[in-house]
Amino acid sequence: MIIDILSWILLMAGGILGIIGGIGIYRFPDFYSRLHAAGITDTLCALLILLGLGLQAGWGIASFKLALIFIFLLFTCPTASHALANAALHSGLKPKLGKDAARLNHD
Amino acid sequence: MFIAISLAILITMGLALTRALAGPTTYDRIAAVNMFGTKTVLLIAVLALLSGRADLLDIALVYALINFIGVIAALKLVTQGDFHTTDKDTISADKGELE
């Protein structure tokens, strides 16, 4: 019974975080902040959801595969975000700095 | 419970798709598609456990890897214009003449 409640909490937290990340990638003004929002949801939301599913699946091959999925996601998503930001910066996409930061550059 | 979480994931995928369509720069689109792919992995995992067939998790595993390779290939295509598949370009690219 406790496992069901725990996995329910984990799954809902993962879902809510996913939606927050989705809203973030939709509303943020600049590419790099959107990348930040997308990066958050990739790892933590995946961890919460896969952990919740792992509790449901119990000890066995299924939760081992879920752990493997999470490990691959843990390694690939930050690398993809880094490659994305690197490629965008090299191609000349300037981050949108705040008003004071822009003023600081001119002084 | 699984239905609620798959609905949440579908909403996130919808938001990512709107960003992919509206994204001004191509890099926005690649980031949105990357996020969409990661959410597909999670959706497959949830549906695998919903339907009780744990062998679907292999598909989620492979999809996570292919998604990463796809993003890197898209980035290479966007930044360098082509995949340097023809021998002529590959040789000149190695010498750095293309820069």
Side-chain angles (χ1 to χ4, degrees), chain A residues 8 11-12 15 18-19 22-23 25-26 31 34 41-42 53 56 62 65-66 69 72-73 76 80 83-84 87 91, chain B residues 1-2 4-5 8 12 15 18-19 25 27-28 31 35 38-39 41-42 45-46 49 57-58 60-61 68 72 75 79:
Chain A
W8 173 272
L11 281 174
M12 283 310 117
I19 291 176
I23 293 171
I25 197 171
Y26 179 66
F31 162 69
R34 281 184 212 123
T41 62
D42 282 345
L53 293 178
Q56 282 297 327
K65 282 180 191 168
L66 285 170
I69 290 175
F72 284 148
L73 277 180
T76 51
L84 250 165
S91 78
Chain B
M1 171 169 51
F2 287 133
I5 190 60
T12 322
L15 285 165
T18 50
R19 173 48 59 192
T25 63
Y27 298 106
D28 287 310
M35 180 177 172
T38 314
K39 290 300 168 273
V41 170
L42 295 179
V46 167
L49 284 178
L57 289 174
D58 305 345
L61 204 65
F68 172 64
I72 299 299
L75 278 178
T79 51

Side-chain angles (χ1 to χ4, degrees), chain B residues 1-77:
Chain B
M1 171 169 51
F2 287 133
I3 296 167
I5 190 60
S6 49
L7 274 181
I9 293 178
L10 284 174
I11 292 170
T12 322
M13 290 159 96
L15 285 165
L17 272 185
T18 50
R19 173 48 59 192
L21 291 175
T25 63
T26 54
Y27 298 106
D28 287 310
R29 294 196 169 90
I30 297 176
V33 166
N34 177 27
M35 180 177 172
F36 188 86
T38 314
K39 290 300 168 273
T40 317
V41 170
L42 295 179
L43 193 63
I44 296 172
V46 167
L47 294 181
L49 284 178
L50 180 69
S51 64
R53 292 173 49 195
D55 51 4
L56 289 180
L57 289 174
D58 305 345
I59 300 175
L61 204 65
V62 170
Y63 198 95
L65 298 172
I66 300 289
N67 179 36
F68 172 64
I69 294 169
V71 167
I72 299 299
L75 278 178
K76 185 169 167 52
L77 184 68

Side-chain angles (χ1 to χ4, degrees), chain A residues 18-93:
Chain A
I19 291 176
I20 289 172
I23 293 171
I25 197 171
Y26 179 66
R27 278 181 57 89
F28 275 157
D30 169 57
F31 162 69
Y32 295 100
S33 45
R34 281 184 212 123
L35 193 59
H36 170 67
I40 282 184
T41 62
D42 282 345
T43 44
L44 188 54
C45 161
L47 169 68
L48 291 176
I49 290 181
L50 292 176
L51 207 55
L53 293 178
L55 286 180
Q56 282 297 327
W59 295 107
I61 306 264
S63 22
F64 173 67
K65 282 180 191 168
L66 285 170
L68 215 57
I69 290 175
F70 174 65
I71 288 169
F72 284 148
L73 277 180
L74 194 63
F75 286 134
T76 51
C77 286
T79 321
S81 304
H82 166 71
L84 250 165
N86 195 11
L89 201 60
H90 273 308
S91 78
L93 187 64

